[in-house]
Amino acid sequence: MKYERIILSAEGNSEIQERIEEFLLKKKVNRDIILRIRLSVEDNMLELMNHYGEGKEVDLYLKGQILRPVVDIRYTGESFNPMRKEDSLEFGNFTRLLEHIGLVPQHHYREQQVNVLSYRLPWPHLSGVQKTVLAVVLAIVTGVILRQTLSADMCSAVSSMVLAPMVRIFLGLIGTVALPVMFFSTVAGIVGVGDRETLGRIGGALVRQFLGHTALFLAVIMVITIFAFDVNLAMHASTDGESTNLADMITQFFPKNIIEPFLNGNAIQIVFIALAFGIAALSLGSRAQHVGSILVELTEVFLTVMSWIGILIPVFIYALLTKLIVDDSFSILFSTWKLLAVFFVCMSVFTSLFCLHTSRKLHL
């Protein structure tokens, strides 16, 4: 906490504003908020000078509290609130500028004839990473407390009746919106190409690159996994007694109808349907010229809804991690940490090599 005694005067008022601005800039407060606070402070200091006269001493306290800073201006004497003017619409009462953002200063009169004019800034907007980290910390704390204080039956009840529904609701919302976004954006992207020749040239190159990079990545992962882990490469029959072969795997790419892939959340089949619709729209040419704009607008609508759902991601992470701790399911994750580590390391290396290769081709 910083403390400084300043004498009210034209120079003193400027000094108070400068000290406050320097302090808030270090705390990374929005410049628009800083400007409004400066105008309010200037207005209030002028009122103090009019009431007490020049030469009045005020104490400036700059406190960096957790997550938000606080600015206090203290002065002794009878109770006087500089924001309480006879004409509340008087031009220059810049304190009113802070009302719309919840920054109206608070005046308190304490013992020993001390007036306190306090500016408490709003809670900062946390970034996505900060919210995620906070959700993880809270989940660990909550999970450990529940495990230590509740019985096994109570932990199971909390997991099944509170945490599991939260996870299912979020996943349901994501599935409801993500699949239409995938469909509409794919069709809109194909229609936006313009003609089938361009689509064949660009799409063919993209498919070849995607399949080539994916095959190379999976091959490297498989080789590393075979040598690093005890992998059994035996073929097993499926649960219904039928053997799994290549033909069965290929048929999984083709949907039985247009509704089932959306109901089952089969992304591959949805992409297949989108490709078919997009190519058909290109074949129609001018007769389907309005399809692209409609699909783009529909994509924007669903993306907006997706952004709303994205706000709940920290809640989902909190509920999921808490459920894992309460159910004591982390042992399963710990048993596979080596495989996950190999996967993420290989993915990072391949991504870096791909970016380097692309940069060299584009001469970046």
Side-chain angles (χ1 to χ4, degrees):
M1 180 177 66
K2 296 182 179 180
Y3 158 75
E4 187 174 356
R5 177 160 292 178
I6 302 175
I7 298 176
L8 284 181
S9 63
E11 295 78 8
N13 291 351
S14 298
E15 185 178 355
I16 292 174
Q17 297 171 51
E18 292 173 359
R19 296 287 187 275
I20 294 174
E21 182 175 2
E22 293 174 359
F23 170 71
L24 296 180
L25 284 175
K26 290 181 180 179
K27 297 297 181 180
K28 299 181 180 180
V29 177
N30 185 280
R31 289 186 176 272
D32 180 60
I33 295 178
I34 294 176
L35 176 60
R36 297 190 185 196
I37 290 179
R38 283 200 59 163
L39 294 173
S40 176
V41 169
E42 180 183 12
D43 182 50
N44 291 330
M45 294 304 101
L46 289 176
E47 286 298 314
L48 291 180
M49 286 178 58
N50 292 335
H51 183 79
Y52 292 107
E54 287 196 31
K56 175 68 175 179
E57 292 182 342
V58 298
D59 297 330
L60 178 63
Y61 289 84
L62 304 175
K63 299 179 287 186
Q65 292 186 353
I66 299 177
L67 297 181
R68 62 173 180 172
V70 177
V71 176
D72 281 352
I73 298 176
R74 303 179 185 181
Y75 48 94
T76 58
E78 71 279 7
S79 176
F80 175 71
N81 185 354
M83 296 175 291
R84 186 173 298 168
K85 300 183 178 183
E86 294 182 0
D87 185 2
S88 60
L89 299 177
E90 177 184 348
F91 179 78
N93 185 4
F94 294 106
T95 300
R96 292 191 164 271
L97 292 174
L98 306 182
E99 291 183 354
H100 301 291
I101 54 176
L103 285 174
V104 177
Q106 301 296 320
H107 174 264
H108 305 282
Y109 188 66
R110 299 181 177 177
E111 297 179 356
Q112 300 178 349
Q113 295 184 329
V114 176
N115 293 267
V116 180
L117 197 61
S118 181
Y119 294 81
R120 295 182 179 271
L121 276 72
W123 295 101
H125 296 287
L126 300 178
S127 65
V129 175
Q130 291 173 326
K131 291 178 181 178
T132 302
V133 172
L134 182 60
V136 171
V137 173
L138 291 178
I140 294 174
V141 173
T142 305
V144 171
I145 292 176
L146 292 177
R147 291 280 300 177
Q148 296 296 325
T149 57
L150 300 181
S151 63
D153 293 338
M154 289 296 296
C155 287
S156 177
V158 170
S159 175
S160 60
M161 298 178 64
V162 179
L163 300 175
M166 294 173 63
V167 174
R168 287 197 299 268
I169 289 173
F170 180 83
L171 294 178
L173 292 174
I174 288 292
T176 302
V177 180
L179 298 179
V181 167
M182 182 187 305
F183 174 78
F184 290 129
S185 60
T186 303
V187 178
I190 294 175
V191 174
V193 170
D195 56 77
R196 295 179 61 180
E197 294 182 0
T198 305
L199 175 64
R201 185 174 64 256
I202 298 177
L206 290 175
V207 169
R208 287 193 299 271
Q209 291 185 11
F210 174 78
L211 293 179
H213 294 156
T214 302
L216 179 61
F217 175 75
L218 292 177
V220 173
I221 288 289
M222 183 177 296
V223 171
I224 295 176
T225 303
I226 291 174
F227 284 97
F229 305 95
D230 185 15
V231 178
N232 185 7
L233 297 179
M235 295 295 293
H236 298 281
S238 60
T239 56
D240 57 1
E242 298 179 0
S243 60
T244 302
N245 52 44
L246 182 60
D248 294 332
M249 297 177 60
I250 294 176
T251 56
Q252 297 299 319
F253 288 89
F254 299 92
K256 297 179 180 178
N257 54 66
I258 195 173
I259 300 177
E260 186 175 345
F262 291 92
L263 294 177
N264 298 333
N266 193 319
I268 296 178
Q269 294 182 359
I270 291 174
V271 171
F272 177 84
I273 296 174
L275 290 173
F277 273 75
I279 295 173
L282 279 183
S283 302
L284 293 175
S286 60
R287 287 177 292 175
Q289 59 183 354
H290 300 299
V291 173
S293 59
I294 295 174
L295 291 173
V296 170
E297 293 174 359
L298 286 173
T299 304
E300 291 295 329
V301 170
F302 278 94
L303 286 176
T304 301
V305 177
M306 180 68 77
S307 66
W308 295 345
I309 299 175
I311 300 175
L312 301 176
I313 290 178
V315 179
F316 165 73
I317 294 175
Y318 169 80
L320 179 61
L321 290 181
T322 305
K323 185 177 185 302
L324 290 175
I325 296 174
V326 171
D327 294 341
D328 195 18
S329 301
F330 267 110
S331 57
I332 300 176
L333 297 178
F334 289 147
S335 63
T336 60
W337 72 270
K338 291 183 179 180
L339 183 61
L340 294 175
V342 169
F343 176 80
F344 284 112
V345 168
C346 292
M347 185 173 62
S348 301
V349 171
F350 270 89
T351 302
S352 302
L353 293 176
F354 178 76
C355 293
L356 180 61
H357 174 69
T358 304
S359 301
R360 292 185 62 182
K361 289 184 63 176
L362 298 177
H363 304 288
L364 296 177

